[in-house]
Amino acid sequence: MMHRAGAPAALSDRARAFLDRRAVRAEFDRGLTGDRLRERIARVHGEPDERIVRLLDRLQAAYGGLRYPSGYFATPVEVTPVCEPEDPDDPLEILYAVRTASPLGASVHPDGGVEVGLDGAGVVEFPSFEALIECEATFDEVARLPVGRRWHVEPAVLRRVVGELDAGGLFGLRRRVAACGRGAHWFVGPGAAVFLRSTWWDLGLGVPPTVDVWGGSAEVAGAVERLAGGGGTR
């Protein structure tokens, strides 16, 4: 049965509004939880890990069963976190935290870090699941702005642009720390936003880092273009 998503208190007002407006929640198979999971972890890995048991319980309670259109993955996604360890050589993690319509997805490490990738390749992108949701909420927010431009850049250029934007002073654009990850950077200002991403490049997928601009005046796009040293349109 589908119903509207309830937004966890750990999120910003913006992210809670995003889930209330855009997400629905459905039943899903929770797999092993509680004592059954504790027993399985001890049997497979030789010792219990209370940290991941509690983390799974929190993620399932707060986000399990969510379905929403993802700006980060550019596809509808489902949140179905499970932990069912079987091989002692495999790292202990929460799988299927995010399932997409593509081979990409996300898992969660025992420390809460969110790994984005596909089978055999992944990078720990976000420090927490909340950071991923904040990133998604920002995509939803800027979707109401006029579409700007996109540049494909070299990794060194991306790092330089991020550094320049972090230095501040460019049309009021400020880093939205809660929505950022290792290779995903949001800068938001009055009527404008910039998103810089190297994630797919870092995964070895052959997709160059990108710089996206929404809204603002031609001056904003021009200033970012000068920093990026390139051109192009969406």
Side-chain angles (χ1 to χ4, degrees):
M1 184 180 74
M2 294 276 197
H3 55 86
R4 299 306 299 177
L11 297 171
S12 67
D13 290 344
R14 178 190 313 105
R16 289 198 295 271
F18 160 68
L19 292 181
D20 286 342
R21 185 176 61 254
R22 302 287 280 161
V24 296
R25 200 160 191 174
E27 296 298 324
F28 74 103
D29 184 356
R30 296 175 180 269
L32 299 176
T33 60
D35 287 341
R36 292 177 62 212
L37 177 57
R38 291 182 181 93
E39 292 168 3
R40 173 70 68 85
I41 292 172
R43 186 167 75 247
V44 172
H45 290 278
E47 58 183 6
D49 191 319
E50 189 64 24
R51 184 174 52 162
I52 203 162
V53 175
R54 292 179 179 177
L55 178 60
L56 178 66
D57 182 64
R58 184 180 72 80
L59 291 177
Q60 288 188 341
Y63 305 106
L66 287 182
R67 298 180 181 182
Y68 62 85
S70 168
Y72 180 83
F73 288 104
T75 178
V77 302
E78 299 179 55
V79 180
T80 57
V82 296
C83 182
E84 298 188 345
E86 296 179 350
D87 188 334
D89 294 328
D90 289 339
L92 187 60
E93 61 183 336
I94 296 171
L95 300 175
Y96 308 116
V98 177
R99 298 172 62 188
T100 76
S102 76
L104 291 168
S107 60
V108 180
H109 289 204
D111 65 359
V114 177
E115 179 175 317
V116 173
L118 36 77
D119 285 344
V123 293
V124 179
E125 177 68 283
F126 295 101
S128 67
F129 204 82
E130 284 71 27
L132 170 60
I133 298 298
E134 296 286 352
C135 181
E136 298 283 28
T138 305
F139 269 109
D140 186 66
E141 174 189 354
V142 304
R144 293 184 284 278
L145 296 173
V147 175
R149 303 181 67 182
R150 164 172 287 184
W151 295 270
H152 292 277
V153 299
E154 295 294 324
V157 173
L158 185 93
R159 291 192 292 271
R160 188 184 73 234
V161 176
V162 169
E164 293 284 350
L165 292 174
D166 267 329
L170 183 65
F171 298 99
L173 293 166
R174 295 289 182 269
R175 177 182 285 272
R176 182 167 286 173
V177 176
C180 291
R182 172 182 177 273
H185 310 273
W186 275 111
F187 293 86
V188 181
V194 180
F195 180 63
L196 307 97
R197 171 158 54 187
S198 64
T199 314
W200 310 142
W201 177 264
D202 297 337
L203 278 171
L205 300 183
V207 180
T210 52
V211 180
D212 290 281
V213 178
W214 288 264
S217 64
E219 289 181 299
V220 175
V224 174
E225 182 175 8
R226 286 191 293 275
L227 290 176
T233 59
R234 288 179 179 274

